[in-house]
Amino acid sequence: MTPESLVAQTETLFSFPDAAYRVQELIEAPSTRAQDLAEVILCDAALTARLLRLVNSPVFAPASPVTKVAQAVNLLGTRALRDLVFATCAIETFAGLPEDGLNMEHFWRYSVTSGIAARTLASERGLPASEHLFLIGLVHGLGKLILLSQCPTQVREVMQRLGKTATIEETAAAEEQVLGFNYAELGATLLKAWRFPDSIWVPVQYHLQPGRAPTHRLETETLWASVSVASDMLAADLAKGDEPGSVQIPEPERIAKPLRLPAESIARLPLEIELEILEMLEILIPGCSLIP
């Protein structure tokens, strides 16, 4: 079994919606108008509703309510629009997976936290198009969902080798021992099959070892840091019952040093992004039980 063969086996089960590809094609075409994009989005009622909720949320805080998709397209901009479309389609593609061995709401909270943390850290580092990091953070763990769905026996074997406090790196190492590859490689292979650009799948594939990334090194480092922050935040939330402001990063220096940021930037990150996480969860996963 290889990542390529596993993705090929599941291509029909986990196929990316044509609407997302159409949005990408239109964004790349220089003659595309906002109305052209709006017409594609309007064909998907769930996507339309989430788009309008996003542009009317405190994240964008418009001066007056936005009620038309074409207005939303103009307000968001093409990159943020594409990221929202891809994020929504990714979540819908994996909807309905059995929760044996994985709480899906916890998984998406962790993924949304990774995305928002990545976007925030990219902005602090002065990376261009930092909004792009939200999508990278959101989809970095999709390989775990394929493993859960298609390789439950191997996943159980991986878990038996690990303690309850295993790190992401330890989990990936156990996956390599059992499967010959890890969730990051599998997720990157899926994203390539979905025709995501290398600016997305390269950071996903190498985020556990950013130094090995052949390109997009800064984005990969940022993703590694955001995943570390998200893991710490989720662990603290589960331990403390989601008490507001209760989350602390145990070793902010460890995460901050490779990014060449002050440790305070990492230490204050949970409190800075907590509200945004809840807002984005409500937009992407309406009714999520993890939202107070």
PDB file of all heavy atoms in Angstrom, residues 112-144:
ATOM      1  N   VAL A 112      -9.600  23.992  12.225  1.00  0.00           N
ATOM      2  CA  VAL A 112      -9.902  25.427  12.132  1.00  0.00           C
ATOM      3  C   VAL A 112      -8.897  26.232  12.968  1.00  0.00           C
ATOM      4  O   VAL A 112      -8.416  27.286  12.525  1.00  0.00           O
ATOM      5  CB  VAL A 112     -11.343  25.705  12.586  1.00  0.00           C
ATOM      6  CG1 VAL A 112     -11.572  27.200  12.799  1.00  0.00           C
ATOM      7  CG2 VAL A 112     -12.336  25.177  11.548  1.00  0.00           C
ATOM      8  N   THR A 113      -8.578  25.736  14.147  1.00  0.00           N
ATOM      9  CA  THR A 113      -7.583  26.421  14.991  1.00  0.00           C
ATOM     10  C   THR A 113      -6.240  26.475  14.294  1.00  0.00           C
ATOM     11  O   THR A 113      -5.562  27.508  14.301  1.00  0.00           O
ATOM     12  CB  THR A 113      -7.441  25.705  16.345  1.00  0.00           C
ATOM     13  OG1 THR A 113      -8.708  25.695  17.008  1.00  0.00           O
ATOM     14  CG2 THR A 113      -6.422  26.401  17.231  1.00  0.00           C
ATOM     15  N   SER A 114      -5.840  25.380  13.660  1.00  0.00           N
ATOM     16  CA  SER A 114      -4.576  25.362  12.913  1.00  0.00           C
ATOM     17  C   SER A 114      -4.594  26.409  11.811  1.00  0.00           C
ATOM     18  O   SER A 114      -3.605  27.119  11.596  1.00  0.00           O
ATOM     19  CB  SER A 114      -4.341  23.972  12.307  1.00  0.00           C
ATOM     20  OG  SER A 114      -4.215  22.984  13.294  1.00  0.00           O
ATOM     21  N   GLY A 115      -5.716  26.513  11.099  1.00  0.00           N
ATOM     22  CA  GLY A 115      -5.803  27.465  10.006  1.00  0.00           C
ATOM     23  C   GLY A 115      -5.737  28.906  10.465  1.00  0.00           C
ATOM     24  O   GLY A 115      -5.015  29.729   9.892  1.00  0.00           O
ATOM     25  N   ILE A 116      -6.474  29.222  11.514  1.00  0.00           N
ATOM     26  CA  ILE A 116      -6.478  30.603  12.007  1.00  0.00           C
ATOM     27  C   ILE A 116      -5.133  30.955  12.632  1.00  0.00           C
ATOM     28  O   ILE A 116      -4.615  32.070  12.446  1.00  0.00           O
ATOM     29  CB  ILE A 116      -7.637  30.802  12.993  1.00  0.00           C
ATOM     30  CG1 ILE A 116      -8.965  30.717  12.236  1.00  0.00           C
ATOM     31  CG2 ILE A 116      -7.531  32.149  13.708  1.00  0.00           C
ATOM     32  CD1 ILE A 116     -10.190  30.743  13.110  1.00  0.00           C
ATOM     33  N   ALA A 117      -4.537  30.011  13.359  1.00  0.00           N
ATOM     34  CA  ALA A 117      -3.213  30.257  13.929  1.00  0.00           C
ATOM     35  C   ALA A 117      -2.181  30.453  12.824  1.00  0.00           C
ATOM     36  O   ALA A 117      -1.314  31.342  12.915  1.00  0.00           O
ATOM     37  CB  ALA A 117      -2.801  29.098  14.837  1.00  0.00           C
ATOM     38  N   ALA A 118      -2.270  29.654  11.764  1.00  0.00           N
ATOM     39  CA  ALA A 118      -1.322  29.779  10.655  1.00  0.00           C
ATOM     40  C   ALA A 118      -1.454  31.142   9.980  1.00  0.00           C
ATOM     41  O   ALA A 118      -0.455  31.800   9.668  1.00  0.00           O
ATOM     42  CB  ALA A 118      -1.565  28.660   9.646  1.00  0.00           C
ATOM     43  N   ARG A 119      -2.688  31.564   9.758  1.00  0.00           N
ATOM     44  CA  ARG A 119      -2.909  32.874   9.130  1.00  0.00           C
ATOM     45  C   ARG A 119      -2.370  33.995  10.011  1.00  0.00           C
ATOM     46  O   ARG A 119      -1.719  34.933   9.520  1.00  0.00           O
ATOM     47  CB  ARG A 119      -4.402  33.074   8.879  1.00  0.00           C
ATOM     48  CG  ARG A 119      -4.749  34.420   8.257  1.00  0.00           C
ATOM     49  CD  ARG A 119      -6.210  34.481   7.891  1.00  0.00           C
ATOM     50  NE  ARG A 119      -7.072  34.367   9.063  1.00  0.00           N
ATOM     51  CZ  ARG A 119      -8.386  34.146   8.992  1.00  0.00           C
ATOM     52  NH1 ARG A 119      -8.967  33.979   7.821  1.00  0.00           N
ATOM     53  NH2 ARG A 119      -9.104  34.082  10.082  1.00  0.00           N
ATOM     54  N   THR A 120      -2.603  33.919  11.313  1.00  0.00           N
ATOM     55  CA  THR A 120      -2.151  34.959  12.232  1.00  0.00           C
ATOM     56  C   THR A 120      -0.628  35.003  12.303  1.00  0.00           C
ATOM     57  O   THR A 120      -0.013  36.077  12.251  1.00  0.00           O
ATOM     58  CB  THR A 120      -2.735  34.711  13.639  1.00  0.00           C
ATOM     59  OG1 THR A 120      -4.157  34.653  13.548  1.00  0.00           O
ATOM     60  CG2 THR A 120      -2.334  35.824  14.594  1.00  0.00           C
ATOM     61  N   LEU A 121      -0.003  33.829  12.404  1.00  0.00           N
ATOM     62  CA  LEU A 121       1.459  33.784  12.483  1.00  0.00           C
ATOM     63  C   LEU A 121       2.096  34.228  11.169  1.00  0.00           C
ATOM     64  O   LEU A 121       3.136  34.898  11.173  1.00  0.00           O
ATOM     65  CB  LEU A 121       1.917  32.365  12.832  1.00  0.00           C
ATOM     66  CG  LEU A 121       1.608  31.900  14.260  1.00  0.00           C
ATOM     67  CD1 LEU A 121       1.974  30.433  14.431  1.00  0.00           C
ATOM     68  CD2 LEU A 121       2.350  32.755  15.281  1.00  0.00           C
ATOM     69  N   ALA A 122       1.481  33.870  10.041  1.00  0.00           N
ATOM     70  CA  ALA A 122       2.012  34.307   8.751  1.00  0.00           C
ATOM     71  C   ALA A 122       1.981  35.817   8.638  1.00  0.00           C
ATOM     72  O   ALA A 122       2.924  36.446   8.130  1.00  0.00           O
ATOM     73  CB  ALA A 122       1.213  33.672   7.619  1.00  0.00           C
ATOM     74  N   SER A 123       0.906  36.419   9.141  1.00  0.00           N
ATOM     75  CA  SER A 123       0.810  37.878   9.122  1.00  0.00           C
ATOM     76  C   SER A 123       1.891  38.504  10.000  1.00  0.00           C
ATOM     77  O   SER A 123       2.528  39.494   9.615  1.00  0.00           O
ATOM     78  CB  SER A 123      -0.583  38.302   9.600  1.00  0.00           C
ATOM     79  OG  SER A 123      -0.706  39.705   9.605  1.00  0.00           O
ATOM     80  N   GLU A 124       2.128  37.909  11.172  1.00  0.00           N
ATOM     81  CA  GLU A 124       3.162  38.434  12.069  1.00  0.00           C
ATOM     82  C   GLU A 124       4.554  38.298  11.454  1.00  0.00           C
ATOM     83  O   GLU A 124       5.434  39.125  11.710  1.00  0.00           O
ATOM     84  CB  GLU A 124       3.111  37.701  13.415  1.00  0.00           C
ATOM     85  CG  GLU A 124       1.906  38.061  14.264  1.00  0.00           C
ATOM     86  CD  GLU A 124       2.134  37.771  15.742  1.00  0.00           C
ATOM     87  OE1 GLU A 124       3.299  37.745  16.176  1.00  0.00           O
ATOM     88  OE2 GLU A 124       1.140  37.568  16.452  1.00  0.00           O
ATOM     89  N   ARG A 125       4.735  37.279  10.648  1.00  0.00           N
ATOM     90  CA  ARG A 125       6.040  37.067  10.008  1.00  0.00           C
ATOM     91  C   ARG A 125       6.189  37.904   8.741  1.00  0.00           C
ATOM     92  O   ARG A 125       7.253  37.916   8.119  1.00  0.00           O
ATOM     93  CB  ARG A 125       6.227  35.595   9.648  1.00  0.00           C
ATOM     94  CG  ARG A 125       6.210  34.647  10.829  1.00  0.00           C
ATOM     95  CD  ARG A 125       6.520  33.225  10.400  1.00  0.00           C
ATOM     96  NE  ARG A 125       7.943  33.032  10.186  1.00  0.00           N
ATOM     97  CZ  ARG A 125       8.488  31.976   9.596  1.00  0.00           C
ATOM     98  NH1 ARG A 125       7.695  31.017   9.120  1.00  0.00           N
ATOM     99  NH2 ARG A 125       9.797  31.858   9.457  1.00  0.00           N
ATOM    100  N   GLY A 126       5.113  38.577   8.343  1.00  0.00           N
ATOM    101  CA  GLY A 126       5.167  39.402   7.148  1.00  0.00           C
ATOM    102  C   GLY A 126       5.133  38.616   5.855  1.00  0.00           C
ATOM    103  O   GLY A 126       5.605  39.094   4.820  1.00  0.00           O
ATOM    104  N   LEU A 127       4.559  37.404   5.883  1.00  0.00           N
ATOM    105  CA  LEU A 127       4.483  36.611   4.665  1.00  0.00           C
ATOM    106  C   LEU A 127       3.421  37.179   3.740  1.00  0.00           C
ATOM    107  O   LEU A 127       2.345  37.579   4.188  1.00  0.00           O
ATOM    108  CB  LEU A 127       4.132  35.155   4.995  1.00  0.00           C
ATOM    109  CG  LEU A 127       5.107  34.383   5.885  1.00  0.00           C
ATOM    110  CD1 LEU A 127       4.678  32.931   5.983  1.00  0.00           C
ATOM    111  CD2 LEU A 127       6.521  34.475   5.349  1.00  0.00           C
ATOM    112  N   PRO A 128       3.671  37.209   2.441  1.00  0.00           N
ATOM    113  CA  PRO A 128       2.658  37.695   1.504  1.00  0.00           C
ATOM    114  C   PRO A 128       1.480  36.733   1.452  1.00  0.00           C
ATOM    115  O   PRO A 128       1.637  35.521   1.619  1.00  0.00           O
ATOM    116  CB  PRO A 128       3.408  37.729   0.158  1.00  0.00           C
ATOM    117  CG  PRO A 128       4.515  36.744   0.323  1.00  0.00           C
ATOM    118  CD  PRO A 128       4.917  36.799   1.762  1.00  0.00           C
ATOM    119  N   ALA A 129       0.297  37.279   1.234  1.00  0.00           N
ATOM    120  CA  ALA A 129      -0.914  36.461   1.108  1.00  0.00           C
ATOM    121  C   ALA A 129      -1.094  35.545   2.308  1.00  0.00           C
ATOM    122  O   ALA A 129      -1.289  34.338   2.168  1.00  0.00           O
ATOM    123  CB  ALA A 129      -0.877  35.655  -0.188  1.00  0.00           C
ATOM    124  N   SER A 130      -1.004  36.121   3.505  1.00  0.00           N
ATOM    125  CA  SER A 130      -1.115  35.310   4.719  1.00  0.00           C
ATOM    126  C   SER A 130      -2.479  34.631   4.843  1.00  0.00           C
ATOM    127  O   SER A 130      -2.600  33.592   5.499  1.00  0.00           O
ATOM    128  CB  SER A 130      -0.852  36.168   5.961  1.00  0.00           C
ATOM    129  OG  SER A 130      -1.785  37.237   6.058  1.00  0.00           O
ATOM    130  N   GLU A 131      -3.523  35.200   4.194  1.00  0.00           N
ATOM    131  CA  GLU A 131      -4.849  34.584   4.237  1.00  0.00           C
ATOM    132  C   GLU A 131      -4.811  33.161   3.689  1.00  0.00           C
ATOM    133  O   GLU A 131      -5.595  32.298   4.103  1.00  0.00           O
ATOM    134  CB  GLU A 131      -5.846  35.419   3.418  1.00  0.00           C
ATOM    135  CG  GLU A 131      -6.239  36.732   4.049  1.00  0.00           C
ATOM    136  CD  GLU A 131      -7.127  36.537   5.270  1.00  0.00           C
ATOM    137  OE1 GLU A 131      -7.924  35.583   5.285  1.00  0.00           O
ATOM    138  OE2 GLU A 131      -7.009  37.328   6.213  1.00  0.00           O
ATOM    139  N   HIS A 132      -3.900  32.905   2.759  1.00  0.00           N
ATOM    140  CA  HIS A 132      -3.774  31.591   2.131  1.00  0.00           C
ATOM    141  C   HIS A 132      -3.452  30.510   3.166  1.00  0.00           C
ATOM    142  O   HIS A 132      -3.791  29.341   2.969  1.00  0.00           O
ATOM    143  CB  HIS A 132      -2.668  31.678   1.087  1.00  0.00           C
ATOM    144  CG  HIS A 132      -2.636  30.555   0.122  1.00  0.00           C
ATOM    145  ND1 HIS A 132      -3.749  30.073  -0.516  1.00  0.00           N
ATOM    146  CD2 HIS A 132      -1.603  29.795  -0.332  1.00  0.00           C
ATOM    147  CE1 HIS A 132      -3.406  29.088  -1.320  1.00  0.00           C
ATOM    148  NE2 HIS A 132      -2.122  28.896  -1.225  1.00  0.00           N
ATOM    149  N   LEU A 133      -2.795  30.893   4.248  1.00  0.00           N
ATOM    150  CA  LEU A 133      -2.396  29.926   5.265  1.00  0.00           C
ATOM    151  C   LEU A 133      -3.589  29.335   5.999  1.00  0.00           C
ATOM    152  O   LEU A 133      -3.485  28.245   6.571  1.00  0.00           O
ATOM    153  CB  LEU A 133      -1.436  30.582   6.258  1.00  0.00           C
ATOM    154  CG  LEU A 133       0.071  30.444   5.968  1.00  0.00           C
ATOM    155  CD1 LEU A 133       0.550  29.019   6.124  1.00  0.00           C
ATOM    156  CD2 LEU A 133       0.441  30.996   4.610  1.00  0.00           C
ATOM    157  N   PHE A 134      -4.724  30.040   6.005  1.00  0.00           N
ATOM    158  CA  PHE A 134      -5.895  29.473   6.667  1.00  0.00           C
ATOM    159  C   PHE A 134      -6.298  28.157   6.014  1.00  0.00           C
ATOM    160  O   PHE A 134      -6.539  27.156   6.695  1.00  0.00           O
ATOM    161  CB  PHE A 134      -7.086  30.443   6.626  1.00  0.00           C
ATOM    162  CG  PHE A 134      -8.363  29.801   7.095  1.00  0.00           C
ATOM    163  CD1 PHE A 134      -8.564  29.513   8.435  1.00  0.00           C
ATOM    164  CD2 PHE A 134      -9.348  29.439   6.186  1.00  0.00           C
ATOM    165  CE1 PHE A 134      -9.729  28.889   8.873  1.00  0.00           C
ATOM    166  CE2 PHE A 134     -10.513  28.810   6.608  1.00  0.00           C
ATOM    167  CZ  PHE A 134     -10.698  28.537   7.954  1.00  0.00           C
ATOM    168  N   LEU A 135      -6.368  28.136   4.684  1.00  0.00           N
ATOM    169  CA  LEU A 135      -6.755  26.919   3.980  1.00  0.00           C
ATOM    170  C   LEU A 135      -5.736  25.810   4.217  1.00  0.00           C
ATOM    171  O   LEU A 135      -6.105  24.653   4.435  1.00  0.00           O
ATOM    172  CB  LEU A 135      -6.908  27.198   2.487  1.00  0.00           C
ATOM    173  CG  LEU A 135      -7.264  25.992   1.617  1.00  0.00           C
ATOM    174  CD1 LEU A 135      -8.581  25.373   2.052  1.00  0.00           C
ATOM    175  CD2 LEU A 135      -7.313  26.382   0.146  1.00  0.00           C
ATOM    176  N   ILE A 136      -4.445  26.139   4.178  1.00  0.00           N
ATOM    177  CA  ILE A 136      -3.404  25.134   4.396  1.00  0.00           C
ATOM    178  C   ILE A 136      -3.564  24.492   5.775  1.00  0.00           C
ATOM    179  O   ILE A 136      -3.495  23.269   5.926  1.00  0.00           O
ATOM    180  CB  ILE A 136      -2.003  25.751   4.233  1.00  0.00           C
ATOM    181  CG1 ILE A 136      -1.817  26.290   2.816  1.00  0.00           C
ATOM    182  CG2 ILE A 136      -0.914  24.726   4.547  1.00  0.00           C
ATOM    183  CD1 ILE A 136      -0.518  27.044   2.601  1.00  0.00           C
ATOM    184  N   GLY A 137      -3.791  25.333   6.784  1.00  0.00           N
ATOM    185  CA  GLY A 137      -3.989  24.798   8.128  1.00  0.00           C
ATOM    186  C   GLY A 137      -5.237  23.949   8.235  1.00  0.00           C
ATOM    187  O   GLY A 137      -5.239  22.909   8.897  1.00  0.00           O
ATOM    188  N   LEU A 138      -6.284  24.373   7.568  1.00  0.00           N
ATOM    189  CA  LEU A 138      -7.552  23.650   7.663  1.00  0.00           C
ATOM    190  C   LEU A 138      -7.456  22.248   7.074  1.00  0.00           C
ATOM    191  O   LEU A 138      -8.020  21.292   7.618  1.00  0.00           O
ATOM    192  CB  LEU A 138      -8.657  24.432   6.956  1.00  0.00           C
ATOM    193  CG  LEU A 138     -10.043  23.819   7.091  1.00  0.00           C
ATOM    194  CD1 LEU A 138     -10.650  24.128   8.451  1.00  0.00           C
ATOM    195  CD2 LEU A 138     -10.963  24.299   5.983  1.00  0.00           C
ATOM    196  N   VAL A 139      -6.748  22.086   5.959  1.00  0.00           N
ATOM    197  CA  VAL A 139      -6.740  20.793   5.252  1.00  0.00           C
ATOM    198  C   VAL A 139      -5.525  19.933   5.584  1.00  0.00           C
ATOM    199  O   VAL A 139      -5.414  18.814   5.069  1.00  0.00           O
ATOM    200  CB  VAL A 139      -6.820  20.994   3.721  1.00  0.00           C
ATOM    201  CG1 VAL A 139      -8.073  21.768   3.344  1.00  0.00           C
ATOM    202  CG2 VAL A 139      -5.568  21.696   3.175  1.00  0.00           C
ATOM    203  N   HIS A 140      -4.640  20.383   6.467  1.00  0.00           N
ATOM    204  CA  HIS A 140      -3.383  19.646   6.658  1.00  0.00           C
ATOM    205  C   HIS A 140      -3.592  18.246   7.223  1.00  0.00           C
ATOM    206  O   HIS A 140      -2.746  17.373   7.050  1.00  0.00           O
ATOM    207  CB  HIS A 140      -2.447  20.435   7.591  1.00  0.00           C
ATOM    208  CG  HIS A 140      -2.706  20.190   9.040  1.00  0.00           C
ATOM    209  ND1 HIS A 140      -3.666  20.870   9.767  1.00  0.00           N
ATOM    210  CD2 HIS A 140      -2.150  19.307   9.911  1.00  0.00           C
ATOM    211  CE1 HIS A 140      -3.680  20.435  11.008  1.00  0.00           C
ATOM    212  NE2 HIS A 140      -2.776  19.484  11.124  1.00  0.00           N
ATOM    213  N   GLY A 141      -4.715  18.001   7.911  1.00  0.00           N
ATOM    214  CA  GLY A 141      -4.926  16.712   8.558  1.00  0.00           C
ATOM    215  C   GLY A 141      -5.879  15.780   7.833  1.00  0.00           C
ATOM    216  O   GLY A 141      -6.297  14.765   8.407  1.00  0.00           O
ATOM    217  N   LEU A 142      -6.215  16.066   6.571  1.00  0.00           N
ATOM    218  CA  LEU A 142      -7.194  15.234   5.873  1.00  0.00           C
ATOM    219  C   LEU A 142      -6.726  13.792   5.712  1.00  0.00           C
ATOM    220  O   LEU A 142      -7.543  12.873   5.622  1.00  0.00           O
ATOM    221  CB  LEU A 142      -7.518  15.833   4.497  1.00  0.00           C
ATOM    222  CG  LEU A 142      -8.268  17.167   4.500  1.00  0.00           C
ATOM    223  CD1 LEU A 142      -8.611  17.581   3.074  1.00  0.00           C
ATOM    224  CD2 LEU A 142      -9.530  17.103   5.351  1.00  0.00           C
ATOM    225  N   GLY A 143      -5.419  13.585   5.689  1.00  0.00           N
ATOM    226  CA  GLY A 143      -4.910  12.218   5.600  1.00  0.00           C
ATOM    227  C   GLY A 143      -5.383  11.353   6.758  1.00  0.00           C
ATOM    228  O   GLY A 143      -5.600  10.142   6.598  1.00  0.00           O
ATOM    229  N   LYS A 144      -5.565  11.962   7.925  1.00  0.00           N
ATOM    230  CA  LYS A 144      -6.058  11.208   9.084  1.00  0.00           C
ATOM    231  C   LYS A 144      -7.456  10.672   8.828  1.00  0.00           C
ATOM    232  O   LYS A 144      -7.803   9.563   9.272  1.00  0.00           O
ATOM    233  CB  LYS A 144      -6.074  12.110  10.329  1.00  0.00           C
ATOM    234  CG  LYS A 144      -4.711  12.611  10.760  1.00  0.00           C
ATOM    235  CD  LYS A 144      -4.839  13.529  11.968  1.00  0.00           C
ATOM    236  CE  LYS A 144      -3.488  14.107  12.376  1.00  0.00           C
ATOM    237  NZ  LYS A 144      -3.588  15.017  13.529  1.00  0.00           N
TER     238      LYS A 144
END
